[in-house]
């Protein structure tokens, strides 16, 4: 009896020990940064349910996101659409807190797969208050300076990471072949070679790819860099009449030689993601084009990152959009799209895709390919090791160093199209010291206008109170001699101009901000009252006209009365760069990245075309030397610039 009691007691102690000793945690290879990335991907993929896999393929807008949504639906990514912010004039810390809140929801799931947050940092972190806004791509194309663009990429990465965001939907590597396209300013040039050269922004954004890195594999150097996205694949800049989201009619050889080269170069530089275009190629919607997405991009070019749709891109496979969403899901995923920018109706997308997989319409192998690619990018960028952002980079947002870089970019992007009514009497550079000058025009004192679309709001803004920067009139006042009287009048009448004894005038006019389809234009005119301002001022005074625009505009009717003409494109927040060159502290060096037409009836017209008859040809740009001239008593300086 005693023995049995002892035995029972011993068994009890053993049982108690078993129940109270914590079980050894299971070793999960995907959580081990020492494991090779392919091993980590496969280990995680093997553990995932269909629900968890499909969740990774979903990108939702921040307005419908929450920690609970991230957890319940295993959402793989969140984005801010244009102008979608946590609060007006939100600080970097506010952004970080929002992103981390969503991330904690993702980390609380069974497998703890972190989400990736994306934003349109297309010319700086342009949704964010106080961020440095760099010139739009068309201006950077005028600079012909890949090294500069690389530095802008690195600065943009820091300012994007400053807000806790690790994914930028940039660069746009469209080759704009018709300036009537509303996105033409997002294109570096009509010339495929210049667009290829400007893919140097990718190692700026992501970091320099190691020399031994396998071709086609995505690369992100670390926490100071972001995931980049080459867009919009492919042919978005070649649509008929430049109509946004329209049909690009071109043969295979033309597509390969004009629109494809920059994608091949991007992949060689380790770009992590590629976004699909809304447009069609010879009548086939790109979002449904399996031949070009899976066949060419993935299989032929060897792209190993993930392919992402554009905003509601699957919906637009049909016309009208969303007319047959079940078909759109099937067509888009089958074509090879890995992550879908839903952005709102995520439950409908998840249910639809789940239905197709369970009914063998979409094979599990296609889902696994998509998730493998998404996980590859997340592992490569170190997101599993560093899923939460901290405040260590907040001082990078709008830093003085980045503003100086943007100012340099503005200087190098300016193209001087005319300088004086005759070769031996150039007007520029202007003297800093004179009695009185007139500054006129709707764009002279308007930060929103000089930044253009994709700034604070999707369509841009009007005025000076939405972010921080230097307007052109403020830059002029900063630059001229203190004794020079500057008079600013937005739209002076002819009598005012004639009766005030001005030494010369600077007129700043152009287009109002726009983005995407809202920018499509069949007439490409300067916004009113710009033409009136030019006539009133340039009819009476020596005048410099500075054009702020996203593409060439009709200027020939006014050209005879204009003494000097500058294409300043969309320079961004650092208007001081304009004054730096106009007043001769630096010389003009920019060259036209695209042909400047005489009339819109000539369009489309690109260099090399048989009917090429431009007002100013592709590559044109008068150069000047810097000068220390302080008075207007020697008009013959810079004459040699006409012969460069």
């Amino acid at each position: 009896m005693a023995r049995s009691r002892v035995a029972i007691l011993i068994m009890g102690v053993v049982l108690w020990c078993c129940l109270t000793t914590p079980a050894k945690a299971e070793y999960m290879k995907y959580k081990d940064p020492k494991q090779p990335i392919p091993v980590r991907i496969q280990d995680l993929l093997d553990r995932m349910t269909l629900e968890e896999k499909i969740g990774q393929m979903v990108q939702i807008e921040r307005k419908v996101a929450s920690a609970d949504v991230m957890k319940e639906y295993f959402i793989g990514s969140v984005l801010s659409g244009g102008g979608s912010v946590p609060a007006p004039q939100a600080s970097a810390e506010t952004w970080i807190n929002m992103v981390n809140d969503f991330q904690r929801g993702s980390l609380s799931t069974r497998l703890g797969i972190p989400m990736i947050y994306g934003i349109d940092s297309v010319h700086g972190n342009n949704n964010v208050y106080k961020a440095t806004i760099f010139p739009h791509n068309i201006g950077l194309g005028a600079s012909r300076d890949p090294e500069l663009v690389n530095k802008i990429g690195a600065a943009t990465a820091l300012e994007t990471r400053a807000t806790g965001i690790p994914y930028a939907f940039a660069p746009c590597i469209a080759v704009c072949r018709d300036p009537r396209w509303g996105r033409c300013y997002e294109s570096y040039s009509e010339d495929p070679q210049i667009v290829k050269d400007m893919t140097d922004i990718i190692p700026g954004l992501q970091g320099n790819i190691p020399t031994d890195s396998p071709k086609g594999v995505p690369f992100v150097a670390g926490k100071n860099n972001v995931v980049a996205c080459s867009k919009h694949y492919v042919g978005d800049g070649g649509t008929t009449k430049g109509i946004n989201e329209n049909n690009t009619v071109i043969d295979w050889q033309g597509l390969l030689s004009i629109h494809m080269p920059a994608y091949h170069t991007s992949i060689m530089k380790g770009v992590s993601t590629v976004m699909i275009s809304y447009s069609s190629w010879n009548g086939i919607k790109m979002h449904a084009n399996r031949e070009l997405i899976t066949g060419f991009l993935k299989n032929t070019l060897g792209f190993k990152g993930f392919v992402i749709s554009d905003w509601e891109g699957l919906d637009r496979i049909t016309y009208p959009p969303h007319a047959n969403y079940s078909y759109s899901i099937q067509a888009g995923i089958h074509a090879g799209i890995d992550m879908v920018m839903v952005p709102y109706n995520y439950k409908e997308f998840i249910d639809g895709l789940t239905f197709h997989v369970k009914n063998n319409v979409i094979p599990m192998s296609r889902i696994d390919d998509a998730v493998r690619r998404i996980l590859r990018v997340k592992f490569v960028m170190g997101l599993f090791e560093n899923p939460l952002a901290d405040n260590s980079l907040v001082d990078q947002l709008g830093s003085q160093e980045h503003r100086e870089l943007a100012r340099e970019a503005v200087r190098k992007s300016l193209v001087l199209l005319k300088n004086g009514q005759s070769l031996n009497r150039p007007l520029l550079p202007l003297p800093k010291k004179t009695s009185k000058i007139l500054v006129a025009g709707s764009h002279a004192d308007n930060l929103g206008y000089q930044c253009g679309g994709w700034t604070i709001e999707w369509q841009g803004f009007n005025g000076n109170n939405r972010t921080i920067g230097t307007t052109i009139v403020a830059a002029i006042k900063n630059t001229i001699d203190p004794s020079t009287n500057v008079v600013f009048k937005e739209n002076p009448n002819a009598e005012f101009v004639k009766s005030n004894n001005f030494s010369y005038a600077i007129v700043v006019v152009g287009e109002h901000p726009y983005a995407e389809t809202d920018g499509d234009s069949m007439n490409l005119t300067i916004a009113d009252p710009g033409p009136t301002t030019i006539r009133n001022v340039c009819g009476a005074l020596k005048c410099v006209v500075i054009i702020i625009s996203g593409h060439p505009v009709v200027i020939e009717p006014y050209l005879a009365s204009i003494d000097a003409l500058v294409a300043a494109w969309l320079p961004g927040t650092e208007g001081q760069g304009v004054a730096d060159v106009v007043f001769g502290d630096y010389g003009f060096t920019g060259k036209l990245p695209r042909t400047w037409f005489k009339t819109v009836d000539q369009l489309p017209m690109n260099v090399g075309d048989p009917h090429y008859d431009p007002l100013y040809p592709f590559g044109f740009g008068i150069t000047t030397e810097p000068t220390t001239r302080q008075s207007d008593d020697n008009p013959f300086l810079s004459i040699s610039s006409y012969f460069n």
Side-chain angles (χ1 to χ4, degrees), residues 185-316:
Y185 65 80
E186 298 185 57
S187 167
Y188 293 107
S189 179
E190 72 188 44
D191 177 21
Q193 184 58 51
I194 291 176
V195 178
K196 269 183 67 175
D197 292 343
M198 294 304 172
T199 59
D200 266 11
I201 195 171
I202 292 168
L205 291 162
Q206 296 192 156
N208 291 314
I209 190 167
T211 51
D212 59 347
S213 181
K215 298 304 179 193
V217 175
F219 175 76
V220 183
K223 291 197 291 183
N224 289 354
N225 297 95
V226 293
V227 168
C229 179
S230 290
K231 64 183 188 183
H232 307 83
Y233 185 84
V234 60
D236 52 341
T239 58
T240 302
K241 295 184 178 179
I243 298 169
N244 193 40
E245 305 182 23
N246 205 260
N247 189 27
T248 296
V249 179
I250 194 170
D251 63 18
W252 175 238
Q253 199 52 48
L255 192 76
L256 279 183
S257 62
I258 295 173
H259 299 286
M260 196 68 79
Y263 285 96
H264 180 254
T265 307
S266 295
I267 292 165
M268 293 301 101
K269 292 176 181 176
V271 75
S272 296
T273 71
V274 170
M275 186 183 291
I276 304 303
S277 175
Y278 289 129
S279 59
S280 303
W281 176 50
N282 295 335
I284 301 172
K285 286 278 190 180
M286 274 306 311
H287 274 76
N289 196 319
R290 181 174 171 80
E291 177 190 355
L292 281 178
I293 298 173
T294 298
F296 196 77
L297 179 66
K298 291 183 175 181
N299 295 342
T300 302
L301 295 182
F303 176 60
K304 300 294 192 296
F306 70 78
V307 173
I308 186 168
S309 82
D310 207 335
W311 179 280
E312 294 181 342
L314 293 197
D315 304 59
R316 300 189 205 189

Side-chain angles (χ1 to χ4, degrees), residues 132-135 403 406-411 414 443-444 446-447 450-451 468-479 508 546 548 568 570-583:
T132 308
I133 306 298
F134 293 92
R403 292 189 184 278
R407 181 175 170 180
E408 176 190 352
V410 173
R411 292 195 293 262
L414 302 177
H443 290 55
N446 197 308
L447 199 59
Q450 75 185 43
C451 288
I468 305 298
T470 304
T471 66
I472 292 170
V473 72
I476 291 167
K477 291 176 179 177
N478 292 341
T479 305
V508 192
I546 299 171
I548 305 294
L570 297 169
T573 50
E574 306 314 302
Q576 191 64 48
V578 176
D580 287 343
V581 182
V582 167
F583 289 96

Side-chain angles (χ1 to χ4, degrees), residues 425-439 476 480-481 483-487 496-507 537-544 563-564 583 629-633 635:
R425 294 192 66 83
L427 181 59
L428 293 173
L430 293 171
K432 295 179 183 177
K433 188 173 183 179
T434 189
S435 57
K436 184 163 61 169
I437 63 175
L438 171 65
V439 180
I476 291 167
I480 50 92
D481 187 271
S483 65
T484 301
N485 182 18
V486 177
V487 176
F496 176 87
V497 175
K498 291 173 183 174
S499 62
N500 269 279
N501 199 28
F502 294 111
S503 303
Y504 58 80
I506 301 171
V507 178
V537 175
C538 297
L541 283 176
K542 286 188 293 183
C543 75
V544 182
D563 296 287
F583 289 96
R629 184 174 66 168
Q630 295 296 314
S631 63
D632 58 356
D633 55 4

